[in-house]
Amino acid sequence: MHTPAPAKPLAPVAVIVPMLDEAATLPALLDALASQTVRLAELVFVDAGSHDASVSLVQDWWSNHGWPDGYCLVLSVPGALPGAGRNRGLAASTATRIAFVDAGLWLEPVWLERMIAALDRSAADSVYARCRFEGVGVLGTALCGLSYGHGAQRPTLVGSLFERNAVLHAGAFVEHLRAGEDVRWTQAFDLAGGKRVIADEVLIHYHHFPKSLHAAIRKWQLYERHAVLAGVGGKSRALSAALLALALLGCVLPHAGGLTLLYLLGRGVLDPARRSSWSYWFAARRAVLLAVFLAPILDIAKLWGAIEGYRQRRFVDQDTTSTK
């Protein structure tokens, strides 16, 4: 006689997922959520106005694979940026613990079970997992190396687990930012007295980078503009602008070409190697060569985005001053 497998325990956790046109990445995330060694009490997807099959993918998946003692909710909030999506998802949830997840993540089956265990044995209000960044293909690997580092691991807000009361005490996410809202909210969480620990034994994965140079340029520009609006990354931004200025001087001043070569070597080769595992990075030879070409293009895109951000901040400051 076949003995049915014991039911997975139900975890009083709400997973909140902002999404916009994520039909390409959602299937992997949905499979990962269904494969968890514990069952989630609540899933809240907040759609910002997708034009692809994102919403129907979630709904069909839950109809076919959902569990009776949990529920899956898809909210429609057109135009919602990630912070607004998390705020709406939090308001719609009731679970005592909250996990913030992005559509591009892949979660190992033991992710939630280990996060719960880490939070239970700590005196903290939250647990952060380590996210492993790894590009796919030559372009994806080069972009990963130039940003996070190919194969790098770092704690991130996405994939984290919080006590609900601590999230509410920290306040809402800033809703008008496309990037930097997670840093701003984490700072507010710390200022509110929230305690965080890192679960070194928990690894989540991210490998979705732009598929074209045009998309990468647009993303680097957009994210830097919003990082300026968020008031984060100032030191890194100043250093990047200074190095780029020296490289441009090397292109126009006689006998100064060495500055440009040093910039390309440092920014396109050594900096990605520093962010990545050295051996892992240099094993991707074609990506290393492409990164040398991409580095100045993306740095110029970041500089342009920063200029846009500072201009936007100035206009906001002027409007604020004029209304006082």
Side-chain angles (χ1 to χ4, degrees), residues 10-82:
L10 184 70
V13 174
V15 167
I16 296 172
V17 187
M19 64 180 188
L20 175 65
D21 295 330
E22 295 287 354
T25 62
L26 274 171
L29 175 63
L30 296 174
D31 287 346
L33 293 172
S35 300
Q36 292 299 303
T37 53
V38 295
R39 290 169 298 159
L40 287 155
E42 304 175 19
L43 291 166
V44 184
F45 292 83
V46 185
D47 183 66
S50 295
H51 295 92
D52 63 8
S54 295
V55 172
S56 60
L57 273 173
V58 175
Q59 293 171 335
D60 292 344
W61 168 78
W62 184 254
S63 296
N64 294 323
H65 303 286
W67 38 98
D69 49 357
Y71 80 82
C72 179
L73 178 65
V74 181
L75 299 176
S76 178
V77 187
L81 295 176

Side-chain angles (χ1 to χ4, degrees), residues 75-125:
L75 299 176
S76 178
V77 187
L81 295 176
R86 295 189 187 109
N87 289 339
R88 300 302 186 278
L90 179 63
S93 67
T94 61
T96 57
R97 287 176 169 175
I98 305 296
F100 295 117
V101 172
D102 280 355
L105 290 180
W106 184 77
L107 308 167
E108 296 182 351
V110 294
W111 161 70
L112 187 57
E113 182 180 1
R114 289 183 175 177
M115 293 291 280
I116 292 171
L119 191 55
D120 284 343
R121 66 174 177 261
S122 74
D125 304 300

Side-chain angles (χ1 to χ4, degrees), residues 224 228 232-246 302-303 306 310:
E224 192 66 12
V228 169
V232 300
K235 293 181 180 179
S236 174
R237 185 177 306 114
L239 177 60
S240 177
L243 293 175
L244 182 60
L246 289 175
K302 284 181 61 177
L303 179 60
Y310 284 120

Side-chain angles (χ1 to χ4, degrees), residues 95 152 221 244 269:
Q221 179 184 355
L244 182 60
V269 179

